[in-house]
């Protein structure tokens, strides 16, 4: 029961942050959800597939939490709880640090700034890292093979979004400034020497 409460709390905090940020940006005339909008070809395929994967892992994760069935040992579930809490903290910190530059997907029409301060000094993609930690944490707390498959699929799609869409967009939008940043900070976590 404790793991169910932890999972519910992190899911509410995580997705609550996501929804509140979208509402706040909408009030400012900012369209947060840019996934698949104005894209074609492989980029559109990646973004739409990523969005589907995100919904799938959320649905299967919530069902797994409410059923409360897990094939994980207590120590593994404790590690999962810590990961899911860490993922939520990382995600919320990333969203707050991005301020109004935050988008779900990329927008070639919106003018944003390249954020390299705060948590972005140790991760170029802390929001994606937050998603990954949340998904892995929920998976470890409520392990089942369906949740495992959709979690791995979602994490893979987020990675493809980063390397095939986000990084190319940032290079085109910010050029040398982004290249210099990329030389200093790792894709997921850590600074380069």
């Amino acid at each position: 029961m404790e793991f169910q409460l932890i999972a519910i709390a992190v899911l509410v905090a995580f997705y609550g942050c996501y929804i509140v940020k979208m509402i706040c940006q909408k009030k400012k005339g900012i369209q947060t959800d840019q996934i698949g909008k104005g894209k074609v070809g492989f980029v559109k395929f990646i973004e739409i597939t990523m969005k589907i994967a995100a919904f799938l892992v959320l649905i299967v994760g919530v069902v797994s939490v409410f059923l409360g069935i897990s094939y994980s040992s207590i120590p593994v579930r404790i590690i999962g709880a810590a990961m899911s809490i860490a993922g939520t903290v990382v995600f919320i910190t990333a969203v707050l640090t991005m301020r109004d530059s935050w988008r779900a997907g990329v927008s070639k029409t919106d003018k944003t700034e390249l954020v390299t301060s705060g948590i972005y000094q140790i991760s170029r993609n802390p929001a994606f890292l937050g998603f990954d930690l949340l998904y892995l944490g929920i998976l470890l707390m409520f392990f089942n093979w369906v949740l495992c498959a959709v979690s791995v699929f979602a994490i893979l799609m987020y990675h493809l979004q980063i390397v095939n869409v986000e990084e190319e967009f940032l290079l085109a939008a910010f050029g040398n400034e982004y290249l210099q940043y990329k030389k200093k900070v790792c894709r997921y976590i850590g600074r380069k020497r």
Side-chain angles (χ1 to χ4, degrees):
M1 183 64 162
E2 306 85 25
F3 292 108
Q4 286 174 304
L5 293 176
I6 291 168
I8 292 166
V10 295
L11 288 168
V12 167
F14 191 100
Y15 287 101
C17 170
Y18 191 98
I19 292 165
V20 167
K21 183 68 170 188
M22 288 181 76
I23 292 168
C24 290
Q25 286 187 312
K26 186 174 185 173
K27 287 180 181 178
K28 295 178 180 182
I30 299 169
Q31 180 65 40
T32 306
D33 184 0
Q34 296 293 328
I35 299 172
K37 295 179 179 163
K39 281 65 167 225
V40 294
F42 188 60
V43 170
K44 183 169 187 147
F45 171 78
I46 288 175
E47 286 199 346
I48 297 299
T49 307
M50 178 190 70
K51 193 172 196 174
I52 292 167
F55 280 115
L56 279 175
V57 75
L58 175 61
I59 292 164
V60 174
V62 168
V63 169
S64 297
V65 168
F66 279 101
L67 291 178
I69 300 168
S70 178
Y71 299 104
S72 297
S73 65
I74 295 297
V76 169
R77 294 182 88 183
I78 291 169
I79 291 167
M83 286 177 75
S84 65
I85 292 166
T88 301
V89 170
V90 166
F91 178 78
I92 292 171
T93 303
V95 169
L96 293 174
T97 304
M98 283 286 283
R99 297 176 303 280
D100 284 333
S101 290
W102 184 66
R103 300 288 185 281
V106 298
S107 171
K108 293 182 179 177
T109 58
D110 291 2
K111 282 291 179 200
T112 59
E113 64 179 271
L114 179 63
V115 177
T116 61
S117 61
I119 195 166
Y120 289 85
Q121 293 176 3
I122 57 170
S123 173
R124 292 195 323 259
N125 299 283
F128 286 108
L129 177 62
F131 273 105
D132 292 351
L133 289 170
L134 174 71
Y135 295 161
L136 291 173
I138 298 291
L139 176 62
L140 292 178
M141 284 191 285
F142 298 95
F143 186 86
N144 63 74
W145 288 108
V146 175
L147 183 58
C148 182
V150 296
S151 297
V152 168
F153 178 58
I155 290 167
L156 173 66
M157 291 313 303
Y158 285 138
H159 180 72
L160 292 176
Q161 170 75 7
I162 291 168
V163 299
N164 293 300
V165 180
E166 302 256 342
E167 290 180 352
E168 289 184 21
F169 165 76
L170 291 168
L171 181 59
F174 300 105
N176 193 51
E177 183 184 3
Y178 176 68
L179 284 175
Q180 294 306 312
Y181 174 57
K182 194 173 173 181
K183 287 179 184 176
K184 291 183 214 168
V185 180
C186 296
R187 182 177 284 138
Y188 291 106
I189 192 159
R191 290 187 60 87
K192 299 176 183 179
R193 296 188 185 258

